[in-house]
Amino acid sequence: MASRKSVPPATNRQRKLAAGPGSGLGTGQGGETHQVAGPGQALLTSNQGVVLADNQNSLHGGDRGPTLLEDFLLREKITHFDHERIPERIVHARGSAAHGYFECLRDCSDWTKASFLSKPRKRTPVFTRFSTVAGGAGSVDTPRDVRGFAVKFYTDEGNFDLVGNNIPVFFIQDAMKFPDLVHSVKMEPDRAFPQAASAHDTFWDFISLMPESLHMIMWAMSDRAIPRSLRMIDGFGVHTFRLVNAAGQWRFVKFHWRAALGVESTTWDEAVKIAGADPDYHRRDLWESIERGDFPVWELGFQVFDQATADRLPFDVLDPTKVIPEELVPIEIVGRMVLDRNPDNFFAETEQVAFCPSHLVPGFDFSNDPLLQGRLFSYLDTQLKRLGTPNFHQLPINAPKCPFHNLQRDAQMQMMVPKGRVNYEPSSLDPSSPRESPQRGFNSLALSETGPKARLRPESFADHYSQARLFFRSMTPPEQYHMISALGFELGKVETPAVRERVVAHLLLIDDALARGVMDKLGLPPGSITPATPARPPQNLPPSPALSQVASRSGSLKGRHLALLVAEGADAQTVETVKTALEKARARVSVIADKISGVTLSDGTLLPADGALAGSPSCLFGAVVVLGSEDGIAPWLTHPAALDFLRDAWRHLKAIGLDDAGQQLAQAAGIGSDDAVVALADRRSVARYLKAAGQGKFFAREGQPGTD
Ligand code: HDD
């Protein structure tokens, strides 16, 4: 007799869905009722609403006979499954997102008539998606890459999408080159590798022939491209946009998101190890922080300037490969974003969210940046391909939260049922039919644009080196050293010598120390490469210290994830003191023990573990503490996972707190000592450890044995 299983109990999620209308289980207009077995339990149905009697077995002709074509329930289930995947995004395929709100902090009506910026404390719902660029949807979270930072504001005047990155400039100046750039960085077309990595010939070949990319390359080779957490990245709108006020006056604007936690990065070796230890590291971190109520926050800042200021700058504000140093035009904070709710469903929300830089609301306008102008076309086009219909705006995650009405009709997957005879305008048959409003509607600025038609690159876009130099020279020495290492690593993966040399020829124009450092890594003797010939000779612009991410450090432990590695028999009082101090400083503390069941402390109590040593290497944490007892630590003194835990913490420049047993392990691991390696003897030493851990990476350790 074939087996039958009873319907399993409903999950929490199903209960939630069953609780009310609009749940997404096949609703049309005006809510629905589910077929229910009892309180809180929905019955399993087909997509046509037919209750399933058996979800375990297909329909067989006889006990061991063939499966019947008649089985419409099997066919419906399998067909739906076969169609589950939609085309992944050509870039930014790997992403993680969250809901939240934007809170206006300043009346911006002098600058813009956008209502969501008109009143302090006014809140607007947002959905924000972070992404890597080059890898596929299933790729790891920590490659060296730019991070996408896209925010959909559901304003009361329509949706406004701010589709930016965590780097304020871009590789190219004209959208015409975007497909070439993306082809070059993605896996090479014949061999389909490397995945999610720019360290290969085609990318650097393209870069070496496109000097306009060099400023962005400086950023991409900086620590910004290997962030510790998505909660610790800044965001930038990149292009110059326009703000328009109620009187029709306009000013230029650049958008900046600033992470309240400051910008924090991993080291390269750490990023590589995290990729193996937890490929979903950033996604998990974002999700878990929000679940714990530790909501990530960003401030939104505007750089507002007029045409006269733009004319005075030594570069063109329409060129997306240039920043405007905040020392020249200050950033004014206008609001803050708090992400406080995880998506209910990854596909329905994170995957189907459709951002378009063309989604503007009254109070904003575009500039003539040629990269932006190309984007205005590309995103709508890609959403049509990805989501398959011009009705993608009806998906719950994309639909405006303010009323929307128009006379656009039909098309695939039309979810609305418009009533009446009138689907045209002008019309007289239905007085309630929607009408335009010159007062409230979006008006493009009436700017006069003239000139001969031509395919051209403006002369004012010709300086490709000055801002690359400005960036390198604005970094602190450790940051400069990391850039040299990153370039050495990436170019070391390039097989074609001519490509490596062409890149170095550009670096020689940016900064001599930079070029010499990279040449040394590549084994190129000094003087062996002739500098490139620039279209326009680089200038020495004054450095902008604000560009250094070190400047953004908060010094606080809030929001950081620390590991307490505890061996058997550790002193219960010390464990309690350290754990409480870290938690009081608002760090998240994970107890790591030999076994996931926990560890028995000196007083016989069992301390539950959050992770087992084997699956919790120190690369996953911002700083570490090791506590134990003489007997308890003994097995770890020859245990690779325990020794690597400390060796890596040392190599990755982390603050390390150690009791006596921890110091024994440190000695066995052969790590050195410095101000960020703290012997935990009393409360004062715990306070010293907290301070060291709050500083993030201890760069002074770099160059010591056992570090890179
Ligand atoms: Fe783009 C996605 C950011 C230039 C074409 N882009 C995409 C996403 C972000 C950016 C964050 C992911 C959105 C999401 O989470 O769904 N892109 C940028 C920035 C750029 C930029 C900051 C330069 C300043 N992009 C750019 C150009 C083009 C595109 C010049 C084409 C001419 N971008 C796309 C796209 C994508 C995209 C192919 C892929 C998936 C999508 O749009 O929705 O249309």
Side-chain angles (χ1 to χ4, degrees):
M1 186 59 194
S3 73
R4 276 168 189 269
K5 290 188 188 138
S6 61
V7 179
T11 61
N12 283 341
R13 173 80 189 126
Q14 284 169 326
R15 281 195 201 99
K16 205 156 89 182
L17 289 173
S23 64
L25 279 188
T27 181
Q29 306 291 300
E32 92 241 41
T33 48
H34 297 299
Q35 309 216 39
V36 290
Q41 174 123 62
L43 282 177
L44 190 63
T45 74
S46 73
N47 284 339
Q48 304 309 314
V50 175
V51 175
L52 266 65
D54 177 349
N55 190 36
Q56 319 305 322
N57 305 297
S58 55
L59 188 65
H60 295 235
D63 197 17
R64 301 181 60 245
T67 301
L68 302 182
L69 188 60
E70 177 190 318
D71 190 349
F72 66 98
L73 294 170
L74 173 73
R75 280 188 290 111
E76 182 197 86
K77 185 172 178 180
I78 298 286
T79 305
H80 199 280
F81 172 77
D82 289 342
H83 292 255
E84 274 181 11
R85 288 292 161 275
I86 61 172
E88 70 173 32
R89 292 165 172 86
I90 170 108
V91 279
H92 298 267
R94 168 86 186 166
S96 307
H99 296 271
Y101 61 87
F102 172 78
E103 185 174 43
C104 178
L105 295 177
R106 179 192 197 283
D107 175 354
C108 298
S109 43
D110 271 5
W111 296 330
T112 172
K113 62 182 172 191
S115 81
F116 78 102
L117 289 166
S118 61
K119 270 200 296 281
R121 287 190 296 283
K122 179 166 181 169
R123 287 191 176 185
T124 298
V126 297
F127 188 71
T128 299
R129 183 174 181 273
F130 304 102
S131 45
T132 54
V133 178
S139 57
V140 299
D141 275 345
T142 55
R144 172 174 295 283
D145 200 353
V146 179
R147 297 302 185 284
F149 193 130
V151 183
K152 190 178 281 294
F153 296 76
Y154 303 92
T155 88
D156 49 13
E157 295 174 318
N159 288 353
F160 167 49
D161 293 355
L162 187 47
V163 195
N165 280 337
N166 74 330
I167 290 181
V169 288
F170 203 63
F171 290 104
I172 48 169
Q173 296 173 323
D174 191 310
M176 191 69 160
K177 297 311 296 168
F178 190 69
D180 299 295
L181 165 73
V182 174
H183 287 171
S184 81
V185 73
K186 286 257 195 200
M187 49 199 189
E188 299 191 9
D190 51 355
R191 58 209 72 183
F193 61 79
Q195 164 84 244
S198 53
H200 58 114
D201 284 48
T202 56
F203 177 69
W204 286 99
D205 185 28
F206 179 78
I207 295 301
S208 71
L209 298 167
M210 294 286 292
E212 70 200 51
S213 65
L214 289 165
H215 184 201
M216 174 82 166
I217 284 293
M218 293 294 105
W219 285 81
M221 295 300 118
S222 79
D223 293 344
R224 302 242 180 192
I226 40 173
R228 165 110 245 141
S229 158
L230 297 172
R231 299 175 294 127
M232 300 175 192
I233 61 174
D234 284 345
F236 304 90
V238 180
H239 313 283
T240 298
F241 287 81
R242 286 186 170 97
L243 297 176
V244 188
N245 67 17
Q249 296 158 327
W250 68 266
R251 293 167 181 84
F252 287 126
V253 63
K254 288 223 174 224
F255 301 111
H256 297 252
W257 290 108
R258 287 196 158 163
L261 295 176
V263 178
E264 176 83 30
S265 295
T266 62
T267 69
W268 171 243
D269 182 72
E270 201 177 5
V272 169
K273 286 180 172 149
I274 293 172
D278 185 1
D280 306 305
Y281 185 65
H282 285 157
R283 181 176 287 178
R284 189 189 308 278
D285 170 80
L286 182 67
W287 177 276
E288 290 181 350
S289 302
I290 294 173
E291 288 296 297
R292 295 173 69 246
D294 191 0
F295 303 137
V297 176
W298 286 262
E299 285 179 332
L300 179 64
F302 283 0
Q303 274 181 306
V304 182
F305 55 100
D306 57 14
Q307 184 71 60
T309 308
D311 292 342
R312 280 198 299 273
L313 296 170
F315 40 82
D316 195 330
V317 299
L318 300 185
D319 173 355
T321 68
K322 304 294 186 289
V323 291
I324 304 183
E326 57 184 282
E327 289 82 358
L328 298 183
V329 177
I331 297 175
E332 303 220 27
I333 302 302
V334 300
R336 64 180 196 129
M337 172 171 74
V338 180
L339 297 182
D340 62 357
R341 183 162 66 85
N342 279 314
D344 285 318
N345 183 274
F346 182 87
F347 181 83
E349 300 179 284
T350 309
E351 194 58 18
Q352 292 198 118
V353 65
F355 293 96
C356 296
S358 52
H359 292 167
L360 282 197
V361 292
F364 293 93
D365 211 337
F366 308 110
S367 72
N368 287 347
D369 174 340
L371 193 71
L372 172 60
Q373 294 284 324
R375 293 180 75 196
L376 301 182
F377 163 73
S378 180
Y379 288 68
L380 178 57
D381 189 39
T382 216
Q383 309 312 350
L384 293 173
K385 164 78 182 166
R386 245 171 29 86
L387 301 167
T389 162
N391 288 319
F392 69 83
H393 66 284
Q394 296 180 18
L395 293 167
I397 196 63
N398 294 323
K401 296 196 195 295
C402 64
F404 60 105
H405 324 271
N406 58 42
L407 303 165
Q408 294 166 27
R409 289 289 185 267
D410 308 345
Q412 279 173 324
M413 306 312 285
Q414 174 60 254
M415 298 292 163
M416 297 196 276
V417 186
K419 296 194 176 123
R421 297 164 75 185
V422 173
N423 57 1
Y424 56 90
E425 196 274 342
S427 65
S428 66
L429 299 185
D430 178 2
S432 69
S433 185
R435 304 290 149 140
E436 67 206 6
S437 161
Q439 292 74 36
R440 292 191 47 200
F442 183 90
N443 280 303
S444 293
L445 278 165
L447 302 165
S448 48
E449 309 283 2
T450 50
K453 250 200 258 180
R455 294 187 183 278
L456 54 77
R457 198 62 66 94
E459 213 12 66
S460 53
F461 282 31
D463 176 358
H464 303 319
Y465 300 94
S466 303
Q467 285 217 351
R469 179 182 289 178
L470 162 74
F471 182 74
F472 183 74
R473 294 190 181 167
S474 301
M475 295 296 106
T476 57
E479 290 171 302
Q480 291 184 337
Y481 171 69
H482 302 159
M483 291 168 69
I484 291 169
S485 299
L487 281 158
F489 174 86
E490 296 261 321
L491 294 173
K493 289 273 192 182
V494 170
E495 292 161 5
T496 313
V499 171
R500 297 198 289 263
E501 290 162 15
R502 250 193 335 257
V503 175
V504 170
H506 294 300
L507 300 181
L508 281 162
L509 288 178
I510 296 172
D511 184 89
D512 206 43
L514 166 73
R516 269 191 287 112
V518 176
M519 287 174 79
D520 180 53
K521 299 244 172 232
L522 299 177
L524 291 168
S528 62
I529 307 285
T530 313
T533 310
R536 187 179 291 175
Q539 316 168 44
N540 284 323
L541 300 170
S544 167
L547 294 177
S548 158
Q549 70 178 66
V550 172
S552 76
R553 284 218 198 130
S554 64
S556 146
L557 275 177
K558 182 176 178 303
R560 290 168 194 275
H561 190 183
L562 271 60
L564 211 60
L565 176 61
V566 187
E568 288 294 315
D571 180 56
Q573 187 58 53
T574 311
V575 171
E576 172 67 17
T577 307
V578 174
K579 194 160 178 279
T580 311
L582 294 176
E583 283 170 348
K584 232 171 111 192
R586 305 197 49 201
R588 172 184 174 192
V589 181
S590 284
V591 172
I592 310 301
D594 200 32
K595 300 208 169 65
I596 188 65
S597 49
V599 50
T600 307
L601 302 180
S602 59
D603 62 357
T605 53
L606 180 78
L607 177 69
D610 301 296
L613 177 58
S616 312
S618 62
C619 59
L620 300 178
F621 307 98
V624 303
V625 173
V626 183
L627 304 174
S629 64
E630 193 158 346
D631 288 349
I633 209 84
W636 283 358
L637 301 180
T638 52
H639 184 347
L643 295 168
D644 285 347
F645 191 91
L646 272 187
R647 280 185 193 133
D648 276 349
W650 169 263
R651 180 175 181 184
H652 301 153
L653 315 175
K654 288 176 186 169
I656 301 173
L658 303 165
D659 69 359
D660 290 347
Q663 287 173 52
Q664 272 182 276
L665 184 62
Q667 207 173 8
I671 71 166
S673 65
D674 58 31
D675 287 350
V677 179
V678 181
L680 299 173
D682 50 23
R683 278 179 198 279
R684 278 181 50 200
S685 56
V686 173
R688 258 195 301 126
Y689 174 75
L690 292 185
K691 191 151 179 251
Q695 295 304 314
K697 300 269 179 228
F698 187 67
F699 291 127
R701 187 182 296 155
E702 274 178 309
Q704 297 299 310
T707 65
D708 293 316

